[in-house]
Amino acid sequence: MMNQRPTQSLAGARFRGLLIIWGAQILSLVIFFALMQMISSTGHAEGSQPLLLALAATALVAFGLSFVMKSKLLAQAARERRPDLVTTAYIIAFALCEACALFGLLAHFTTGAREALYFFIPAALGFLLHFPRRRHFDDADANNGAGQGFKSTF
């Protein structure tokens, strides 16, 4: 029983660290949105519609990819009992969701289109849907040190 205490505190520390990163990512999303509102672009450029559509498609692919990558890495973490992969899964998902906002910022400054605001919707939705779950750490850490691979000298 004494061996499980440090493992649980390590999982708790990983979870708390991930919550801090999630909060920082939300804050960066708010800062990007405020930046876009404060700094006006040069105006709607002629012929910028294809660029806007390409950036929108790229943002939506990044949004979808965030869920695919996270689910694959979480499954691998549970299968291999590696809590570090849980952290990696969430960080990749956060980065891909933040990419949606960055593509919106890029669209705003390059095309000047007001539609660039809509890039923040999938970014915010992704952050809300990717809120860290403690159970993912528990699943990856299940039976750690007490399962089939545990060898005792007693």
Side-chain angles (χ1 to χ4, degrees), residues 15 27 34 40 46 49 67 70 104 153:
F15 178 69
L27 182 62
S40 63
E46 292 293 323
Q49 192 68 20
F67 290 96
K70 182 179 134 189
T153 57

Side-chain angles (χ1 to χ4, degrees), residues 45-61:
E46 292 293 323
S48 63
Q49 192 68 20
L51 177 61
L52 184 65
L53 289 175
L55 288 171
T58 307
L60 289 177
V61 167

Side-chain angles (χ1 to χ4, degrees), residues 7-8 10-11 77-78 81-83 136-145:
T7 302
Q8 289 174 351
L10 181 61
R81 294 187 197 141
R82 291 186 51 197
H136 291 138
F137 286 101
D138 294 338
D139 290 346
D141 205 28
N143 299 325
N144 194 10

Side-chain angles (χ1 to χ4, degrees), residues 95-108:
L96 288 169
C97 287
E98 187 176 26
C100 293
L102 290 173
F103 287 130
L105 206 58
L106 181 65
H108 174 72

Side-chain angles (χ1 to χ4, degrees), residues 20-32 123-124 126-128:
I20 291 169
I21 293 169
W22 181 82
Q25 293 284 56
I26 292 290
L27 182 62
S28 74
L29 186 68
V30 170
I31 290 171
F32 289 151
F127 279 120
L128 291 176

